[in-house]
Amino acid sequence: MRFLTGAIPLFTLASCQAFSNTEWTVRLNNRCSSLNMIFGLGGGDTPKIPTSTTDRANRAIASIQRALASPKNRAFPMIECEFPPLGSLNKLGDGSLRSSQEVDRANLEFGQKLIGAISLPLIGSEVCLMISSAAPAGFLQQAKSIAGSKCRSLREGAPTKLSPNAVCVLLAPSTRTDYEIAKSLVQTNRNKVVIVNGFAKDRDSVPGEATMAYYFKPLTYNSQVAGYLIREYPGPWTTIDATSKAVLQKIGDSTILVEGTNTPDLRESGRLVQKSVDTRAIQSRAQR
């Protein structure tokens, strides 16, 4: 299997031997800590605004690695990450076929990097790439070129014969069936599931017991990006002013998540960003 550049391997070849689940977790935690120190990939008290799509992908992957090693709820190892797949935000919602295809390619590229990062050399951690039951045939074919026989369309149902240590990566789920299969793999099979850029979620899609490993949301005001809500697990949810880079708020899951879900309530972050912009405008006028 060939991976795109930029993936961060977790282990060296010298570490490839049989470990128990506990030993894997300890080594994964240690490896994640080393990578975070070397590359400065978050996990601390204040997250960083990504400087590029590559930087964002690396930060998301590092956060996912930390969540896989130590999820919020060890009895429910469902991990989630959410961010705009494209650098050009105006391409996300115009509804064109071309934009949709660009989003698909961006999600696949991230999925390829993620698989490369969480797969272990030689004996490896089994990784299954799962594709939404609503995904078009072209998307499925591209996914199979990445994961081969380990690619599964959820149109065919849940993957079978997974090892206990298998990690399932679910790209862009968009139907109730997708989310129900993901929850079943976690609750029944005890597999770890990573949901990447889930779409069309409702209150029942992703339970509150899940771990939001990485979240990056541009916040707009007057049709301009005025701030960001960022979460790099296990750090807090942080609202940042886009212009001054000032931290406007840091809060935890219990405060920001909509009750019973893994989805943040954006209203307070939006108000803080709006207030920051308005205050800056008033100060600018006063100095004229």
Side-chain angles (χ1 to χ4, degrees):
M1 188 185 304
R2 184 173 62 86
F3 297 106
L4 297 175
T5 59
I8 305 171
L10 289 181
F11 292 84
T12 62
L13 295 179
S15 67
C16 293
Q17 47 186 316
F19 301 122
S20 68
N21 287 345
T22 301
E23 289 170 322
W24 276 124
T25 300
V26 170
R27 286 174 176 264
L28 185 57
N29 274 312
N30 291 340
R31 185 60 172 168
C32 288
S33 297
S34 299
L35 288 168
N36 295 336
M37 291 176 63
I38 293 171
F39 296 105
L41 295 178
D45 193 46
T46 302
K48 303 295 184 183
I49 300 172
T51 57
S52 64
T53 54
T54 298
D55 181 38
R56 184 196 61 205
N58 287 339
R59 290 183 176 280
I61 289 170
S63 298
I64 292 168
Q65 289 170 333
R66 290 189 293 270
L68 285 170
S70 184
K72 179 173 68 176
N73 183 346
R74 291 186 179 276
F76 193 82
M78 176 178 283
I79 313 301
E80 191 176 11
C81 70
E82 187 173 324
F83 54 83
L86 300 179
S88 300
L89 298 179
N90 62 347
K91 292 184 178 180
L92 294 178
D94 64 10
S96 71
L97 176 60
R98 181 175 180 179
S99 292
S100 177
Q101 291 173 338
E102 288 180 359
V103 169
D104 286 348
R105 281 195 295 270
N107 278 327
L108 282 168
E109 181 176 333
F110 177 78
Q112 190 171 18
K113 289 182 178 181
L114 177 59
I115 291 172
I118 62 179
S119 297
L120 308 181
L122 297 184
I123 61 172
S125 175
E126 180 185 357
V127 179
C128 177
L129 178 61
M130 303 190 303
I131 304 303
S132 171
S133 56
F139 186 81
L140 177 59
Q141 289 304 314
Q142 293 178 65
K144 286 184 175 179
S145 70
I146 294 173
S149 62
K150 293 299 182 181
C151 179
R152 176 82 171 189
S153 169
L154 297 188
R155 191 175 301 170
E156 303 169 356
T160 57
K161 300 180 180 179
L162 292 173
S163 70
N165 290 326
V167 177
C168 299
V169 176
L170 175 54
L171 279 185
S174 60
T175 69
R176 178 167 293 184
T177 296
D178 297 341
Y179 292 109
E180 289 302 318
I181 288 176
K183 286 185 285 188
S184 175
L185 287 170
V186 173
Q187 294 170 333
T188 305
N189 290 20
R190 300 303 178 190
N191 290 119
K192 295 180 178 180
V193 174
V194 179
I195 296 177
V196 177
N197 287 334
F199 182 68
K201 294 191 294 183
D202 59 29
R203 293 184 64 93
D204 298 322
S205 297
V206 181
E209 295 88 350
T211 303
M212 183 63 80
Y214 185 79
Y215 187 88
F216 178 70
K217 177 72 172 180
L219 303 171
T220 59
Y221 179 48
N222 291 335
S223 302
Q224 300 291 325
V225 175
Y228 302 94
L229 177 61
I230 309 176
R231 202 286 171 86
E232 294 180 358
Y233 186 79
W237 296 79
T238 305
T239 304
I240 301 177
D241 184 291
T243 301
S244 67
K245 307 300 187 292
V247 172
L248 306 179
Q249 184 185 62
K250 294 180 181 181
I251 52 179
D253 283 359
S254 61
T255 304
I256 196 171
L257 294 182
V258 176
E259 185 177 359
T261 78
N262 202 41
T263 301
D265 185 337
L266 301 177
R267 291 175 296 180
E268 179 63 16
S269 294
R271 283 192 290 265
L272 289 170
V273 166
Q274 178 178 339
K275 180 180 179 181
S276 182
V277 172
D278 290 344
T279 299
R280 189 163 49 248
I282 292 171
Q283 291 172 345
S284 178
R285 286 195 297 268
Q287 294 171 0
R288 292 175 184 174

